[in-house]
Amino acid sequence: ELDIRAEEHSILSRPNGSFAVSLTRNEPVIEVDDLLLVREPGRLRARGRVRELGDERFAIELDSMGTDWEQDQWHLADAAAMEVADGYFHTAGMVFESDAGRVAIRGGVRPPARLGLVLVLEGADLDLLDRLDLVEGIDGKLDGRLEFTGSIDSSGIAVDATVDSLVVAGRRIDSGRLVARAIGGRVELDALEFDSATGAAYAEGTVDFDRPDWLRYLSGGVRAAEEIWGGATLDVDVRPRELDVAYWADPESPSGEYGFVTADLGVGGSTRQPSAQGTFDVLNFPAPPFYFPELSGYVVVDSSGLSLTRGRLDIGGPEATVQARLPLRVSFTEPAEFLPREGVRVEI
């Protein structure tokens, strides 16, 4: 029998808070009557046992486990077990519950760093990402299934997830869904769609990142995410429907200030210098100080700017045909830039 308590302890000169453990050893089992780890602002408490399986393998059987981090409290829904060894982890199933949702985990990792892990989320509170300083100003509820395969350095992931009442960066989405698969540096987007009071959109296609370990690299935070996105290439079909452009550009802008866009576009190139082509239709088209009921046509965006052909402009009864070229530099990594000195051509 052993009782150990440490108010303050360090590992490799790094403070790790306090811990207390009461255990009994009766080979090949160590009964853990109580384990408490405290590292502000969180703590973990568990009861169970560790069973030696031989060949340096161990079974960890948890009767109970609970954690809290500030206002979030998670606990193990039922007793669970896992098997661990050097470079190996596997569980037939563990379910954690809290006021912030429910997470089920199955699978694990086996040498040499091969992944086979499934996470199922039910009613997960996305506000947790804000409290963890991962995504600022996000809220909503997430349900979905994530499956991780491949290796740590070249991950595969399959996602089928839905979100309700999503708020991010001041913009609200009533409902959305993501179905996608990633193998190495390629993401195959089967469906990305959302619906809201300010329009809807759907996208499908592929995104290629310039590094196969992008998923692990994302742990570097916002700067890492910007670097990964900045090196991506696109082959995506995008279909917005009556999208309020002003709202999505700036939620504080008056509704309809830049019109309502419906389009079928093929987007390619890189995120730094994308290209696009397809049909579009803009209701309440802005041309200050005027607003026209509708503008439609075929648009091409490339390194030289934006070109409009087969355009039709509703001027309040009669229609006019329009062709135009605008020196507009478009980027998905920085704001668009209008360069009128390079010449503007409009024919009506």
Side-chain angles (χ1 to χ4, degrees):
E1 296 181 359
L2 184 64
D3 289 300
I4 301 176
R5 302 192 190 293
E7 294 303 320
E8 297 291 338
H9 76 286
S10 299
I11 298 177
L12 298 177
S13 301
R14 296 182 60 183
N16 279 274
S18 63
F19 76 90
V21 62
S22 297
L23 56 87
T24 304
R25 179 179 176 86
N26 186 11
E27 289 194 27
V29 178
I30 299 174
E31 290 284 347
V32 181
D33 299 313
D34 188 37
L35 170 65
L36 174 63
L37 304 176
V38 179
R39 185 176 181 184
E40 297 300 337
R43 63 176 55 207
L44 178 147
R45 188 158 220 152
R47 293 180 64 250
R49 65 201 53 82
V50 179
R51 190 184 304 274
E52 295 183 33
L53 301 177
D55 298 326
E56 298 184 341
R57 294 183 303 119
F58 300 87
I60 300 176
E61 302 167 357
L62 295 170
D63 296 331
S64 65
M65 185 168 73
T67 68
D68 64 76
W69 184 86
E70 294 184 344
Q71 69 264 46
D72 297 304
Q73 297 180 347
W74 292 83
H75 66 272
L76 197 62
D78 296 294
M82 67 191 82
E83 186 177 325
V84 298
D86 185 16
Y88 178 85
F89 164 84
H90 183 269
T91 178
M94 303 175 67
V95 179
F96 294 91
E97 295 178 331
S98 82
D99 291 340
R102 177 183 171 100
V103 179
I105 304 170
R106 174 171 55 84
V109 182
R110 59 180 174 82
R114 304 295 298 179
L115 297 170
L117 189 65
V118 175
L119 271 65
V120 178
L121 300 95
E122 299 178 10
D125 188 352
L126 293 175
D127 179 59
L128 179 63
L129 299 178
D130 191 358
R131 298 197 298 272
L132 291 173
D133 295 326
L134 296 177
V135 182
E136 184 178 357
I138 188 170
D139 198 3
K141 295 292 184 180
L142 176 68
D143 294 272
R145 183 180 189 275
L146 293 80
E147 181 175 359
F148 298 89
T149 57
S151 69
I152 300 296
D153 293 324
S154 183
S155 305
I157 180 173
V159 180
D160 188 341
T162 59
V163 65
D164 292 308
S165 304
L166 174 65
V167 177
V168 61
R171 299 161 178 84
R172 182 181 180 88
I173 293 174
D174 295 328
S175 63
R177 187 183 184 202
L178 170 63
V179 181
R181 293 164 293 162
I183 302 175
R186 166 161 286 200
V187 176
E188 297 180 358
L189 195 62
D190 295 326
L192 173 61
E193 55 187 323
F194 73 84
D195 193 8
S196 74
T198 54
Y202 179 88
E204 60 183 356
T206 60
V207 179
D208 288 293
F209 299 115
D210 59 2
R211 53 185 309 156
D213 64 341
W214 62 272
L215 194 60
R216 184 180 68 168
Y217 196 69
L218 280 176
S219 62
V222 175
R223 183 171 297 180
E226 291 175 346
E227 181 181 335
I228 292 169
W229 179 244
T233 56
L234 309 170
D235 184 8
V236 180
D237 292 328
V238 180
R239 296 192 284 277
R241 293 293 180 263
E242 297 184 5
L243 209 63
D244 186 342
V245 178
Y247 176 81
W248 293 99
D250 181 358
E252 301 300 322
S253 297
S255 176
E257 184 177 14
Y258 303 136
F260 300 88
V261 174
T262 296
D264 289 278
L265 302 173
V267 180
S270 68
T271 51
R272 296 187 185 279
Q273 193 174 78
S275 60
Q277 58 182 353
T279 60
F280 77 97
D281 184 272
V282 183
L283 300 178
N284 197 37
F285 176 70
F290 306 106
Y291 281 87
F292 296 102
E294 185 176 10
L295 171 66
S296 61
Y298 190 87
V299 66
V300 175
V301 178
D302 55 27
S303 59
S304 66
L306 182 150
S307 298
L308 168 64
T309 58
R310 305 201 300 269
R312 301 187 68 84
L313 179 65
D314 183 343
I315 56 178
E319 283 190 346
T321 58
V322 181
Q323 294 192 92
R325 180 194 173 279
L326 304 177
L328 183 67
R329 297 290 183 267
V330 177
S331 174
F332 295 143
T333 59
E334 55 190 22
E337 186 178 8
F338 182 58
L339 304 172
R341 291 184 179 181
E342 296 187 10
V344 178
R345 179 175 61 83
V346 178
E347 297 177 5
I348 300 179

